[in-house]
Amino acid sequence: MNIWELSEKAEYIADKHQRLLAQWQQYCNTLIQGITLSKAKLHHAVGCNPDDSLRFFLFDHFVINVRLAEGFNSHTIEYYVEKRNGEDRVLIAKAILDDHGQVDNSISNRDRENVLEHYLEKIHPVYESLYSAVNSDTPVSMVQLQQRAQA
């Protein structure tokens, strides 16, 4: 392989990587808008994070963390719940983001309503666990949240 062939491949890789990152940023913007502009009372507060993930504070006790999975060219969106202090992170769901801005091959990352609906479906087990615990006056454990998410 000569330098020009290598250069072409490097440009292709860089272009594809930039497109993926642009699609991820679009997804983040759409999701934030969906949550902040929603009239539904979701009890989410948007948090700032220095890395490339989203943080939403849920009932001021839990953090929902949404990020691209580690690894170069990862197309997997991971949804975690953790305690506000950063302890006990639990993976609750995954989704796929393609180069064309489709989430799970069916939702445009520009469609605010559908992105929000998709996100809420992904974190639904967290709300179910919290509702069940509050309804039965029992404490919530991260193990319960993980088990409910995996069910």
Side-chain angles (χ1 to χ4, degrees):
M1 180 178 304
N2 67 37
I3 192 169
W4 300 114
E5 291 170 333
L6 187 62
S7 176
E8 283 181 33
K9 287 184 180 188
E11 280 299 308
Y12 176 80
I13 292 166
D15 182 55
K16 291 280 281 186
H17 185 67
Q18 280 304 115
R19 280 191 283 180
L20 174 62
L21 293 179
Q23 295 299 346
W24 167 244
Q25 288 301 319
Q26 180 62 51
Y27 174 82
C28 291
N29 291 338
T30 302
L31 181 56
I32 289 170
Q33 288 175 10
I35 289 172
T36 57
L37 298 176
S38 173
K39 299 204 185 304
K41 295 179 181 176
L42 301 172
H43 295 275
H44 267 60
V46 177
C48 295
N49 208 14
D51 60 12
D52 291 329
S53 66
L54 295 175
R55 294 179 58 153
F56 301 105
F57 296 96
L58 184 61
F59 299 107
D60 204 32
H61 186 81
F62 297 98
V63 176
I64 304 291
N65 193 317
V66 183
R67 67 180 195 180
L68 278 178
E70 289 186 23
F72 186 79
N73 200 41
S74 176
H75 290 257
T76 303
I77 301 170
E78 296 175 328
Y79 303 82
Y80 291 91
V81 64
E82 61 190 49
K83 293 180 182 174
R84 187 176 176 107
N85 63 7
E87 293 179 1
D88 300 328
R89 179 180 286 182
V90 174
L91 179 65
I92 54 173
K94 292 182 180 183
I96 301 296
L97 176 64
D98 70 21
D99 291 342
H100 306 290
Q102 293 291 307
V103 180
D104 285 342
N105 295 317
S106 62
I107 298 163
S108 169
N109 66 354
R110 296 180 180 279
D111 185 335
R112 186 172 56 222
E113 188 174 309
N114 283 326
V115 165
L116 177 59
E117 189 175 310
H118 177 267
Y119 165 77
L120 293 175
E121 184 63 34
K122 294 294 184 182
I123 68 163
H124 181 259
V126 174
Y127 279 98
E128 285 298 317
S129 295
L130 297 176
Y131 180 83
S132 178
V134 169
N135 194 39
S136 63
D137 292 326
T138 58
V140 175
S141 75
M142 297 305 280
V143 172
Q144 287 173 318
L145 292 175
Q146 187 173 31
Q147 288 171 344
R148 183 76 69 135
Q150 293 173 346

